[in-house]
Amino acid sequence: VVNYHAASSSSSSSYNSNNKNRMQRHRRHKILPSFRQSTTTTTLKASSSPDPPPYPVRVAVMGGGNFGLALASVVARKGVPVQLLVRSESVANYLNTNHTHPRYMSDIKLPTAIRATTDPDTALSDATYIIHAVPCQYSREFLDSIKEHIPPSTPILSASKGIETSSLGFMNDILKDCLGEERSYAFLSGPSFAREICEGVATAVVIASEDMDLADDLADLLTCDNFRVFTSKDVIGVEIGGAVKNVIALAAGVCGGVGV
């Protein structure tokens, strides 16, 4: 198994230096058509790689709520082993035995490639990628409690959305405060529902990162026939969109309901 955790002096060089050779081999088989929205907006690229990565990968998902389960299912359906980090030993045992969650979407069968654990070291220490799906308001405390188990250059994909009420910071700020700036981060958002993702309903999301090599690799990792991933460099735009989209949707619904 390739070691992706060598230390480096910057986030982009860390990810690039540890993954350069495998990415070159992989990208000879990639198709990344560009979708230009207008001359004033960011160019989005859509991954079209429904196959599992052609290199050894293990994914850890932090957070066993609805969206953590949904993204774990997307990855596991491609045959990639997933460690799901949860808080309760009873939940972990139930999920590993029954392949369903006892509380969240309990009627949905989860792929057997998902294994739950309460041990951060088991879940995180040798993960190729880590997906963070803990709610924004609880993320800082959670990350501070497990950061010693995360190797210094393991890239993080955040699927959490929102603005921290105590600091008014986005997940980009929280992650860098807790885990440092010497690693690569990416951020996922889009019009998506956890249940629909698990049920295979067609879904499209965006992954934004300052490190486009990481964004492209994550897009390939997640893309399948019914889950399309676009990539972007606009981290702030994607984070703002994720934080305010429900507020705008509720306001629009109220306006529609009262006829204004």
Side-chain angles (χ1 to χ4, degrees):
V1 176
V2 181
N3 177 11
Y4 300 113
H5 304 312
S8 68
S9 60
S10 70
S11 61
S12 60
S13 63
S14 169
Y15 184 77
N16 291 340
S17 63
N18 288 319
N19 296 278
K20 181 178 179 181
N21 291 335
R22 73 168 178 79
M23 287 193 297
Q24 288 176 341
R25 292 195 302 270
H26 180 34
R27 291 211 165 86
R28 283 199 288 267
H29 306 288
K30 285 177 81 161
I31 303 172
L32 284 170
S34 293
F35 290 80
R36 186 173 296 278
Q37 306 298 313
S38 74
T39 57
T40 59
T41 58
T42 303
T43 298
L44 297 180
K45 294 192 297 183
S47 174
S48 345
S49 179
D51 299 321
Y55 46 85
V57 169
R58 195 178 75 80
V59 173
V61 177
M62 302 189 297
N66 285 331
F67 213 72
L69 292 171
L71 292 181
S73 295
V74 170
V75 176
R77 283 198 294 258
K78 297 182 73 171
V80 176
V82 178
Q83 284 278 349
L84 184 69
L85 182 61
V86 299
R87 292 180 296 174
S88 167
E89 191 71 42
S90 63
V91 169
N93 291 336
Y94 186 94
L95 194 149
N96 291 335
T97 302
N98 301 288
H99 306 296
T100 60
H101 195 286
R103 292 176 54 198
Y104 302 116
M105 300 185 291
S106 57
D107 57 321
I108 290 180
K109 205 74 170 175
L110 300 171
T112 57
I114 299 174
R115 300 293 297 175
T117 181
T118 59
D119 180 15
D121 193 61
T122 297
L124 306 173
S125 62
D126 65 345
T128 316
Y129 304 106
I130 295 175
I131 298 175
H132 177 78
V134 175
C136 176
Q137 305 307 327
Y138 303 99
S139 286
R140 187 178 296 272
E141 180 181 359
F142 171 80
L143 290 167
D144 281 339
S145 72
I146 54 87
K147 61 185 178 182
E148 66 187 71
H149 301 284
I150 302 178
S153 61
T154 303
I156 309 291
L157 170 63
S158 173
S160 304
K161 308 172 185 70
I163 300 172
E164 188 180 37
T165 55
S166 60
S167 68
L168 301 183
F170 291 102
M171 284 305 306
N172 188 31
D173 305 303
I174 298 170
L175 285 165
K176 289 181 177 179
D177 284 349
C178 296
L179 303 181
E181 300 190 12
E182 304 303 314
R183 74 174 75 237
S184 290
Y185 297 98
F187 304 86
L188 182 149
S189 188
S192 52
F193 297 93
R195 174 171 287 276
E196 291 187 352
I197 293 171
C198 288
E199 291 176 343
V201 176
T203 301
V205 298
V206 175
I207 290 178
S209 179
E210 297 171 359
D211 183 344
M212 288 306 294
D213 284 334
L214 173 61
D216 288 345
D217 276 2
L218 289 169
D220 279 352
L221 176 68
L222 293 169
T223 291
C224 59
D225 291 341
N226 45 34
F227 194 82
R228 173 63 62 91
V229 181
F230 294 82
T231 60
S232 170
K233 292 183 178 180
D234 187 9
V235 171
I236 296 299
V238 167
E239 288 233 80
I240 291 174
V244 305
K245 64 182 176 64
N246 288 346
V247 177
I248 295 173
L250 287 169
V254 171
C255 291
V258 300
V260 296

